[in-house]
């Protein structure tokens, strides 16, 4: 892609003996966000969903597994239990079998059936659009709540998942390790209107380029802004081989991606390719 082919010459010269001021860090952070918007103009939630209930359940199921595996699993689940009332009245063992591919299926069954019952009993079968209500639901924390608020209700929020935490620390936007404190510090750097899309862009970059074990530094379009350049592979050719999903020519996480996504849809469960 055009934006991902930017030159990164001189990237290793960025580190200065002079500490970066707060103002300089904020300016650099906002520039990273602007450049990521050019690299990933199609950034979006990578869970398939058609309504707030499906997004809420899918997000709970995504814990400790991939969005791809969730997307391959939820069509069968929602075909059988399309509403909170249906899921709340289900036989637990049948739900467990349907969501088994996502792992931790017994605990997740308890959570999604519990939140479905709470939606039925306390919210008229509708997913609430307030943070304070969402976090009261079984299995729903701030991260899940902000995914739902930002993508189903248009309420700005910062989603602090493992990718987000890793990258904002690599970029020296924060030194915090607690997700709530990270959320608070990043919220001070960016206007509220940017929070949801910032989350998508950072997570996209973390999944595709700035990996946990071996970042593709040599193929990174924002290497010139990264104080951690060199932690990963710096050779451009070797780095390009590390790129994932559409950046590497492979299917993305969604079976039903939104319009404008440049990659290939993921295959259904059990399909090859």
């Amino acid at each position: 892609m055009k934006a991902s082919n930017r030159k990164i010459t001189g990237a290793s010269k960025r580190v200065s003996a002079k500490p970066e001021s707060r103002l300089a860090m904020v300016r650099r952070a906002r520039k990273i966000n602007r450049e990521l918007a050019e690299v990933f103009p199609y950034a979006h939630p990578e869970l398939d969903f058609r309504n707030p209930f499906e997004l809420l359940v899918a997000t709970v199921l995504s814990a400790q597994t991939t969005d791809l595996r969730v997307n391959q699993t939820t069509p069968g689940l929602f075909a059988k239990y399309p509403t909170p009332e249906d899921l709340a009245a289900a036989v637990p063992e049948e739900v467990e079998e349907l969501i088994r591919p996502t792992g931790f299926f017994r605990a997740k069954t308890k959570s999604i059936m519990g939140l479905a019952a709470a939606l039925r009993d306390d919210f008229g079968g509708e997913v609430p659009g307030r943070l304070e209500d969402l976090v009261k639901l079984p299995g729903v924390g701030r991260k899940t709540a902000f995914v739902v608020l930002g993508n189903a209700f248009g309420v700005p929020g910062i989603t602090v998942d493992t990718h987000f935490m890793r990258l904002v620390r690599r970029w020296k936007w924060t030194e915090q390790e607690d997700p709530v404190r990270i959320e608070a510090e990043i919220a001070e750097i960016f206007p509220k209107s940017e929070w949801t899309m910032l989350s998508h862009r950072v997570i996209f970059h973390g999944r595709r380029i700035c990996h946990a074990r071996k970042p593709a530094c040599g193929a990174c379009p924002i290497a010139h802004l990264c104080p951690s350049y060199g932690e990963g592979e710096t050779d451009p050719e070797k780095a390009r081989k590390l790129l994932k999903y559409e950046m590497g020519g492979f299917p993305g996480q969604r079976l039903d991606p939104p319009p404008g996504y440049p990659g290939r849809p993921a295959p259904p469960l059990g399909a090859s390719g």
Side-chain angles (χ1 to χ4, degrees):
M1 301 204 48
K2 180 181 72 173
S4 64
N5 290 329
R6 294 176 181 167
K7 293 182 179 179
I8 58 171
T9 54
S12 60
K13 298 178 181 178
R14 244 174 344 284
V15 179
S16 171
K18 185 178 179 181
E20 185 178 41
S21 69
R22 165 76 181 179
L23 178 59
M25 183 276 288
V26 170
R27 287 175 173 170
R28 180 172 57 81
R30 292 182 176 184
K31 189 171 183 181
I32 286 176
N33 183 42
R34 290 193 300 271
E35 296 201 9
L36 288 180
E38 295 180 19
V39 178
F40 303 112
Y42 49 86
H44 60 274
E46 294 192 87
L47 290 168
D48 288 327
F49 69 98
R50 295 170 296 184
N51 53 58
F53 173 63
E54 290 190 358
L55 179 57
L56 177 60
V57 171
T59 306
V60 171
L61 293 179
S62 70
Q64 295 178 286
T65 190
T66 63
D67 285 356
L68 170 59
R69 184 49 56 93
V70 174
N71 292 336
Q72 292 174 325
T73 302
T74 50
L77 178 71
F78 295 139
K80 191 165 186 178
Y81 310 111
T83 69
E85 292 82 359
D86 294 325
L87 183 56
V91 176
E93 290 76 14
E94 294 180 1
V95 176
E96 289 177 1
E97 196 58 34
L98 282 170
I99 69 168
R100 182 183 291 266
T102 68
F104 302 95
F105 56 92
R106 291 190 179 89
K108 289 180 180 180
T109 293
K110 185 176 180 181
S111 291
I112 65 174
M113 290 189 66
L115 71 83
L119 294 177
R120 177 197 62 194
D121 298 340
D122 302 331
F123 297 99
E126 300 292 332
V127 176
R130 301 194 311 164
L131 175 65
E132 53 266 41
D133 291 329
L134 285 168
V135 295
K136 293 177 183 176
L137 299 172
V140 178
R142 290 178 70 86
K143 182 185 79 170
T144 296
F146 281 132
V147 169
V148 174
L149 289 172
N151 299 291
F153 294 101
V155 177
I158 295 172
T159 302
V160 183
D161 74 348
T162 56
H163 301 287
F164 193 94
M165 287 193 286
R166 179 176 74 252
L167 268 62
V168 298
R169 287 173 55 81
R170 276 183 178 164
W171 293 335
K172 312 301 182 186
W173 294 359
T174 180
E175 294 182 353
Q176 298 292 341
E177 296 183 0
D178 175 72
V180 175
R181 291 181 178 179
I182 290 173
E183 176 195 321
E185 290 202 357
I186 303 306
E188 292 179 355
I189 299 174
F190 297 93
K192 198 171 184 178
S193 60
E194 286 290 312
W195 289 354
T196 299
M197 286 309 301
L198 169 73
S199 300
H200 289 323
R201 293 165 191 153
V202 173
I203 292 169
F204 256 58
H205 191 67
R207 285 176 167 171
R208 287 153 175 77
I209 299 175
C210 194
H211 311 134
R213 295 179 182 173
K214 199 168 187 181
C217 294
C220 179
I222 59 165
H224 57 293
L225 297 169
C226 181
S228 298
Y229 174 82
E231 286 188 7
E233 179 58 65
T234 58
D235 179 83
E237 290 302 318
K238 292 180 180 179
R240 272 192 284 273
K241 294 178 181 179
L242 299 173
L243 300 180
K244 294 185 178 180
Y245 307 123
E246 76 281 356
M247 292 295 188
F250 302 108
Q253 299 260 294
R254 294 188 68 163
L255 279 66
D256 184 25
Y261 175 65
R264 291 182 287 137
L269 192 66
S272 59

